[in-house]
Structures are given as C-alpha cells and as structure tokens.
C-alpha cells in the first residue's frame, strides 16, 4: 500500500541521491523509486523524524496480482507512526509469489537507498505481516547486522518447509477421505493451468462433502490437521465451545479457499524450488489429531454422523504417501528455514482465530528459538480476535513500542495483556484492543531447524 498521507501531500517527491544528515528531514518527505532488480520502493519521512526507520515487509501476492511497494501494515498504522516520528520504508519485492530469495535483498537494498537519501538511522526495526513476517524473520536470522530488532505480525514464523508440509496434510486428508478414487494431484504441478484445474476440482469435492453429515465430519478432520480454527472471520458469529456444527461451518469457509493455497500457490513455490519440497512419509495422523485443539470437535461430528473415526485414521495411515525432492527441500531450507538462532530481539504477535496462518506456528518458532538457546531474545503476544492479521493500529504500535523498550533498556518489560493493551490505547485511544492471555497448542509438524 503506497502511503500518500494528507500530511505529506504538499511535499515534492525527492529524486536527488545526495546524502542528508540523519534526523534532518527538511519537511515531510515522500519518496518513490526503483531498484536494479526491478522492485519499487516507497519512503515516508516525517519532519520530526525521531531517528528510527521501520523497514516493512508486506504479505504474499500471487502471480499476476498488482505488486506496489508498501511501507506500513495499514494507512491508520502509518498515520500514527508518522505522527510519532518514525520513518517508514519498504519495497514491492522484485517478483510476486514465494519470493523470499528476492524479497530479502530487495528490502536490504531499500534500506541502503534510505541511508543514501537521509543518512544512517539511529535505529532500524524490521517488521512485517503474514508472508512479510517470514521475510522479517529471515532478515532477523540471516542479516541481523542490518537491524536492531524485529516484529513479526501474523507471520509464517514456522518457516517454509514446515508451511508446505502442513498445507500438504489437509490436502492429503481431503483427497484420501473425500475423493479416494480420483487421480487428483497434490504436488508436482507442471504449470498454473494444471494447478488451477486441481484447485477447482478439490473445491468441488469440499463443496459436495459439505452437504452430508459424513462429509462435514471429514472436512473437520482435514481442517484440524491444519489447525484451522472454528471461529476465523469477524463476520462469523462466535460459536459456543461445544457447538461443533457451527465451528465446522466456519472451518468449511476456509476449506473452500484452501485449494488455492494448496495447489496454485504451491505450484509457484515448486517452480522456484525445482520440484516438490514437502512430504508426509512417516507422519502419524492419529497422533496429530490427538494433539489438535479441535480433536473433540472432530470426535463429536464423527459420532453424530455415525462414522468410525478409527477407520478414517486407518485410511490416512494406509494411503499412498508423498515424498519430497531433496533438491527442492534444500532450496527451501537454504532460503527460509529457521534455526531459531536470534541475535537481536524479536516479538511475534498473532490473532488467536487465524484461518490462513494458524496461531500454532508461533509454537514452532518458540521451540526453535528455545532449542537454539536464544529464548531471552523472543517474546510472543496474542490478540483474541478472529481473522488473519486482524489487528488494530494500536495493537501494532504497542508491539513496536515493546520491541523499543527491549532495545532501550536491555529488558523486555511487561508483555502481559494488560500492559500491551495499555500501550495500544495510548497509540490509538478508543479502539477495541484485545491482547489476551493465550498459549497456542504445539505445532503439528516438525519445524525446520538446521536438520
């Protein structure tokens, strides 16, 4: 999103490349340009620049979608941040799709462009949302010398290999239980036409299954293997704790969109990796369901439908498994597998009802960081709200200020919900801020560390 805020409307777009001393913006500045890679970038610097630059990484854009540069998660967040004196920068990335290999150098090159024009910042904080949280966490682990701290918002902090493995699980369950006799492919799509055809076919399978109690139970099982919550959209009425039917209807809405991710987005990622980068050999789906927070829902729906859950789990155990291409796994691991080896502070925030990037990904990141011995550098906070990246501007600024406290004092200070909500209220008075006590369940798949 290109932020042409009213406060900046009177400023001319800068084209000169001469360096300017830090903190000496001559009036508010809005600057746009392009990198040698073809990526575009955008920068907003307020007149009262406080010396901190915020490097924003935007979310996923599918092939063919518009690809403008963005430098903040929303217009409202940008307006508040600029009033508080922050400089905002970000690039478009040179390509759409699963472009981490291009996104990270484009983001760092944008930071170089900022330094050329405005001087070296006193502090640089990288932040990003959704897929941009993946880009931000990659910068945190691999380019920590370029930043002081990081903030991932609803990010794919489990890493690339784990992401595609988890996506495969739900797709495998749909095919095995709802379309067992078909030749529907799940991986190795030769092109977008084939992937789109497969996505349309799987959507049809899901739609047809929704018409029967047995089909609905099986959709719930597939959703549980991907940790899709039963309340994932603000437009949905919140179901009761044991209202399995309402929870399943909400999961079904996500499952009708899921084939686009599982097939069309996968094909684009496979084309970069040189083949299929995920597998389900050796996966125990019965154990995975046992650990799922949605196990009781699945069991209740199976009982109501007169289905044997044991038989379906046996079918999953005995179905033809999928192996990965080692070279494709190596590509994904080289570019976006997380070791947890943080050397600068990072805060992760996530909504509890995220149907696109389920909140359990935060458990994978927490465990990776803990195993790397860097727990002191990571904190995680949760917003009790349905939806993907459904934060108030105040909640985002509160998270940013929490990272700054850690940088200023060497201590995190309080990341308890009351403290986070108080910071959010200061940044954006009167909004319905909803940081809450929460601990996500374990991530259902091994996350991708060095091994």
């Amino acid at each position: 999103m290109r932020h042409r805020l009213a406060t900046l409307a009177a400023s001319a777009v800068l084209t000169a490349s001469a360096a300017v001393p830090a903190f000496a913006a001559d009036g508010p500045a809005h600057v746009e340009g392009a990198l040698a890679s073809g990526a575009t970038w955008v920068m907003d610097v307020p007149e009262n620049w406080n010396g901190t630059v915020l490097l924003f990484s935007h979310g996923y854009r599918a092939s063919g979608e518009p690809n403008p540069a963005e430098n903040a998660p929303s217009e409202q967040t940008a307006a508040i941040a600029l009033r508080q004196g922050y400089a905002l920068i970000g690039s478009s990335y040179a390509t759409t799709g699963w472009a981490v290999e291009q996104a990270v150098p484009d983001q760092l090159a944008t930071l170089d462009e900022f330094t050329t024009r405005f001087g070296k910042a006193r502090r640089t904080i990288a932040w990003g949302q959704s897929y941009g949280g993946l880009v931000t966490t990659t910068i945190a682990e691999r380019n920590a010398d370029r930043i002081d701290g990081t903030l991932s918002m609803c990010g794919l902090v489990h890493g690339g290999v784990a992401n595609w493995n988890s996506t495969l699980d739900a797709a495998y369950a749909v095919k095995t239980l709802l379309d067992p006799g078909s030749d529907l492919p799940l991986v190795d799509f030769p092109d977008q036409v084939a992937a789109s055809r497969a996505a349309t076919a799987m959507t049809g399978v899901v739609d047809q299954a929704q018409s029967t109690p047995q089909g609905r139970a099986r959709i719930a099982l597939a959703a549980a293997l991907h940790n899709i919550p039963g309340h994932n959209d603000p437009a949905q009425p919140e179901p009761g704790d044991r209202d399995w039917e309402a929870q399943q209807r909400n999961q079904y809405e996500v499952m009708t969109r899921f084939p686009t991710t599982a097939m069309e987005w996968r094909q684009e990622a496979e084309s970069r990796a040189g083949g299929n980068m995920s597998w389900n050999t050796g996966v125990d789906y019965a154990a995975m369901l046992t650990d799922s927070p949605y196990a009781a829902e699945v069991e209740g729906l199976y009982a109501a439908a007169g289905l044997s859950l044991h038989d379906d789990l046996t079918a999953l155990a005995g179905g033809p498994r999928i192996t990965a291409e080692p070279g494709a796994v190596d590509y994904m691991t080289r570019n976006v597998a997380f070791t947890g080896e943080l050397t600068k502070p990072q805060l992760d925030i996530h909504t509890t009802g995220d149907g696109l990037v389920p909140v359990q990904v935060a458990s994978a990141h927490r465990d990776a960081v803990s195993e790397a011995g860097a727990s002191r550098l990571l904190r995680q906070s949760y917003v009790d709200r349905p939806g993907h990246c459904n934060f108030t501007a105040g909640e985002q600024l509160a998270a940013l200020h929490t990272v700054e406290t850690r940088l200023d004092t060497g201590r995190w200070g309080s990341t308890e919900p009351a403290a986070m909500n108080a910071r959010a209220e200061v940044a954006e008075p009167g909004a319905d801020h909803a940081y809450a006590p929460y601990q996500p369940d374990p991530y259902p798949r091994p996350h991708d560390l060095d091994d």
Side-chain angles (χ1 to χ4, degrees), residues 34-41 55 57 89-95 98-113 131 134-136 138-139 142-143 146 272 331 334-336:
L35 301 172
S37 68
T40 59
W41 50 258
L55 176 64
S57 297
I89 69 173
S91 78
S92 63
Y93 321 148
T95 67
W98 194 263
V100 178
E101 186 179 9
Q102 291 75 30
V104 170
D106 284 343
Q107 288 292 83
L108 297 178
T110 299
L111 185 58
D112 291 337
E113 291 283 350
Y131 169 82
L134 181 95
V135 175
T136 296
T138 305
I139 292 171
R142 304 183 183 195
N143 302 98
R146 301 298 306 277
R272 293 174 181 274
Y331 174 90
R334 284 198 321 271
N335 286 287
V336 65

Side-chain angles (χ1 to χ4, degrees), residues 8 25 27-29 44-50 81-88:
L8 303 181
D44 287 305
V45 183
E47 188 172 7
N48 61 328
W49 181 33
N50 61 18
L82 288 168
R83 286 199 300 269
Q84 293 182 351
Y86 297 98
L88 309 178

Side-chain angles (χ1 to χ4, degrees), residues 35-71:
L35 301 172
S37 68
T40 59
W41 50 258
V42 59
M43 303 176 186
D44 287 305
V45 183
E47 188 172 7
N48 61 328
W49 181 33
N50 61 18
T52 295
V53 61
L54 306 181
L55 176 64
F56 179 70
S57 297
H58 68 70
Y60 183 87
R61 292 175 185 151
S63 297
E65 289 185 355
N67 190 31
E70 292 187 29
N71 61 4

Side-chain angles (χ1 to χ4, degrees), residues 293-304:
Y294 311 110
E297 173 207 347
V298 173
E299 292 166 358
L301 290 171
Y302 265 78

Side-chain angles (χ1 to χ4, degrees), residues 178-257:
L178 296 174
D179 199 19
S182 78
D183 58 357
L184 182 68
L186 300 180
V187 299
D188 292 321
F189 300 102
D191 51 41
Q192 274 292 300
V193 172
S196 180
R197 187 182 302 120
T200 299
M202 178 170 279
T203 300
V205 168
V206 171
D207 282 339
Q208 183 175 1
Q210 186 66 13
S211 64
T212 69
Q214 294 79 15
R216 291 192 289 273
R218 286 167 171 153
I219 291 171
L221 173 55
L225 296 178
H226 195 51
N227 277 325
I228 296 171
H231 186 211
N232 54 70
D233 189 319
Q236 299 166 341
E238 184 172 4
D241 288 343
R242 298 185 64 81
D243 190 348
W244 310 137
E245 291 80 8
Q247 292 180 29
Q248 191 279 334
R249 284 195 300 273
N250 293 343
Q251 291 169 324
Y252 160 71
E253 292 183 15
V254 175
M255 289 300 293
T256 61
R257 302 186 297 272

Side-chain angles (χ1 to χ4, degrees), residues 106-126:
D106 284 343
Q107 288 292 83
L108 297 178
T110 299
L111 185 58
D112 291 337
E113 291 283 350
F114 177 86
T115 302
T116 297
R117 285 162 171 75
F118 298 99
K120 184 173 176 59
R122 176 179 59 86
R123 174 177 289 167
T124 300
I125 297 175

